[in-house]
Amino acid sequence: MKSAPLPWLLPAALLTTGTLLDARPARACGGLFCQPAQPVIQTGEQILFSVDRTAGTVDAIINIRYSGPAEEFAWMLPLQSAPTELQVGPQSAFQTINNLTSPQFNLRFETKGACRDTTRFVSPDDENSLASEAAPPQDAGVQVIARKEVGPYDTVVLAGETPEAVRTWLVDNGFAVTDAMMMQVIPYLQKGDVLLALKLRKDNDAGDIQPVHVTMAGDEVCVPLRLTAIAAVQDMDVTVTVLSSEGRAVPENYFEVELNLARLDWFSRGGNYRELVADAADEGDGNAFTTEFAGSARLFDGQVYPRGGYPRAFLLAAGDFPELVTALSDAALVNKPGVGPILRRHAQGALKTELDAQAANFDRCPVCFSDQPGEIDVDAVIEEVWTRIVKPEERTQQLFDQQTYATRLYTLISPEEMTVDPEFAFRSDLPDVSNVHVATQVSECGFAGDVTREYLRIEDTGDEIELEEIGAVQAALPAARRVRQLNEGVDVVDNRSVIDNLLGNGRGCTCARHAGRPSAGLLLLGLAGFGLIFTRRRR
């Protein structure tokens, strides 16, 4: 592991809490907490990095998801130095990333020969810049480096002599932190890191929470998972998307697992995908990512922010609430996360009372209330929409436009495995990775049209599984095709021959490729070999 300072980042999707982030010259890491009366549960993390070595900066956009009282929202991020910029980020960026790069599993059908109409659909179950706006005040043992309102947040960057002094300052200034929270940041404060803390501003609620965009000095990427362990659920999702002009991002101190797609449930279009990734990560000693997408960043051109922008003058011409909602709908803005709370905040009189009374339903579907009469401050709505949604989308689109390559990595990891903070390097000699995968259910028919053989062919690898034995065979297969240390170009474990033996593929073995059902001895032999390779950590 490198001794040089690293850029960190860690967000967390929460049930009653939020995200983490940390940083060195470009390290971002931290924790979102709530009062002890409510459980602190982190169910997932989603982060977007953009690395610009020429400028010597790393941008990190952290997706924050929180459920709970607004007054109990507190987010702390240890940073080696104060961020050069702190802004809100667009939720829509993560929606776009997911739409374009999430894994897709497509099943096709093929017949060979003159088949009668007997094609079956078989399931495995059948078989079984941040500068102070004023001179910051100084408290005993605490230096307030910067304090600023950013979108829905009141933010402060602190340096403290002791965790006790920092916690006292935060509590005195309305940040809902506890001793248990501070325990997690003590190691970082002891190293001299500063602390970025956020809370929701007055008149903002949980519906106003949006991603945070941090710009830091540095040129490396790290996700510090250790701070997450105290609040994480078992098999927590972590998705990291990295933009750069240096090629594919690869785990530097974690393994990379190539999934064995022959074990995927293709008939439910990947319904067991999370389980497959979790098991494959376990086979990588619990510390491993799979690469879900790697390819040109041009895929995102005009996707986060429309090329023509949004029609501000058209929106400002709206005269009342129904006209404004209709105009926002025509501009493809009305369903953006955060628009509902903005509209409620600037509604007037009886309209505001009505919308606040139905806040949850309204925030989910503002256009469903478009026939509700009433007045609203149109200018204030559009100004806030531009500040919190339009401008963040434009800034984020610029990050995609400035880079040439995008990598999406994914893992599931449990608290007991969060002992090492994953770091990422870049390789320009590795192939692209498509997020679209295809399998074909093949039916071979004889002279009378009867099906003589049915099998599933995995197009990525050419592996074939007989449908009549698919459940038993898949249960015996390893989850990882290969476990690799990509930064060093080393295969730690190669299961391809084990998979071939279990499938009867004949690549590198003496079995016939289509010899029918593998014998019990062959299955046992394959399983024994697999047992020698791995000791499963869970399940």
Side-chain angles (χ1 to χ4, degrees), residues 436-500:
V436 179
H437 308 278
V438 176
T440 303
Q441 181 177 321
V442 181
S443 299
E444 296 182 352
C445 301
F447 179 77
D450 295 329
V451 175
T452 58
R453 181 187 176 216
E454 283 187 299
Y455 58 95
L456 189 72
R457 183 177 65 233
I458 314 302
E459 302 298 346
D460 288 39
T461 60
D463 290 338
E464 297 178 357
I465 313 173
E466 303 299 321
L467 288 192
E468 64 178 0
E469 58 197 27
I470 190 169
V473 171
Q474 285 186 327
L477 290 170
R481 188 172 177 83
R482 284 188 291 175
V483 179
R484 300 180 286 181
Q485 215 320 316
L486 274 183
N487 192 47
E488 299 173 4
V490 175
D491 282 356
V492 178
V493 175
D494 189 341
N495 284 329
R496 286 176 293 183
S497 62
V498 173
I499 294 168
D500 282 339

Side-chain angles (χ1 to χ4, degrees), residues 18-325:
T19 289
L20 300 180
L21 177 102
D22 174 2
R24 293 211 170 177
R27 180 185 65 193
C29 161
L32 173 59
F33 306 93
C34 68
Q35 293 283 35
Q38 297 198 7
V40 177
I41 302 175
Q42 298 183 6
T43 60
E45 300 175 359
Q46 197 168 17
I47 312 163
L48 171 65
F49 282 108
S50 179
V51 182
D52 188 340
R53 292 193 191 274
T54 302
T57 60
V58 171
D59 286 84
I61 302 179
I62 310 101
N63 193 21
I64 304 171
R65 285 171 283 177
Y66 171 86
S67 176
E71 64 273 12
E72 295 182 4
F73 174 93
W75 189 23
M76 297 192 300
L77 304 87
L79 308 168
Q80 185 169 2
S81 60
T84 57
E85 290 186 70
L86 179 63
Q87 306 168 92
V88 290
Q91 179 70 46
S92 58
F94 294 97
Q95 295 173 338
T96 299
I97 290 170
N98 291 336
N99 289 339
L100 295 178
T101 64
S102 290
Q104 300 176 31
F105 303 104
N106 301 321
L107 182 63
R108 302 186 309 200
F109 298 89
E110 176 184 330
T111 59
K112 294 184 177 181
C115 293
R116 289 182 293 177
D117 189 15
T118 57
T119 302
R120 299 189 293 145
F121 186 79
V122 180
S123 167
D125 291 338
D126 295 339
E127 279 292 319
N128 186 9
S129 158
L130 189 58
S132 301
E133 297 178 353
Q138 305 303 317
D139 289 70
V142 175
Q143 178 188 4
V144 180
I145 299 172
R147 188 165 189 177
K148 185 178 182 180
E149 291 183 352
V150 177
Y153 306 112
D154 180 10
T155 74
V156 63
V157 180
L158 302 173
E161 297 177 1
T162 65
E164 293 80 8
V166 171
R167 187 210 164 182
T168 297
W169 190 97
L170 289 170
V171 171
D172 289 347
N173 285 270
F175 289 81
V177 298
T178 67
D179 287 336
M181 300 174 193
M182 292 305 302
M183 286 292 293
Q184 305 310 305
V185 298
I186 285 176
Y188 299 94
L189 294 177
Q190 288 176 337
K191 292 186 296 183
D193 287 2
V194 300
L195 185 69
L196 169 62
L198 303 91
K199 66 177 180 178
L200 283 170
R201 294 165 47 199
K202 185 179 179 181
D203 298 329
N204 286 260
D205 57 32
D208 289 297
I209 291 173
Q210 64 185 103
V212 173
H213 183 166
V214 183
T215 304
M216 301 161 284
D219 60 2
E220 297 180 339
V221 176
C222 174
V223 179
L225 288 174
R226 290 176 295 171
L227 284 178
T228 310
I230 190 174
V233 298
Q234 290 290 313
D235 284 344
M236 187 181 77
D237 300 75
V238 178
T239 305
V240 180
T241 302
V242 185
L243 304 175
S244 81
S245 294
E246 302 177 60
R248 184 167 149 186
V250 299
E252 194 168 17
N253 59 341
Y254 271 46
F255 294 128
E256 196 262 5
V257 290
E258 179 185 340
L259 299 179
N260 176 18
L261 296 181
R263 214 178 92 169
L264 188 81
D265 181 0
W266 287 93
F267 304 102
S268 65
R269 304 301 195 270
N272 67 334
Y273 178 70
R274 290 185 80 258
E275 178 185 354
L276 179 62
V277 174
D279 288 346
D282 285 349
E283 294 170 12
D285 200 29
N287 297 127
F289 283 86
T290 186
T291 303
E292 295 186 321
F293 172 83
S296 172
R298 302 286 65 77
L299 176 70
F300 297 94
D301 286 355
Q303 297 299 309
V304 176
Y305 180 77
R307 287 186 173 89
Y310 294 103
R312 183 164 184 162
F314 168 72
L315 296 169
L316 287 169
D320 57 12
F321 176 75
E323 288 184 9
L324 179 58
V325 172

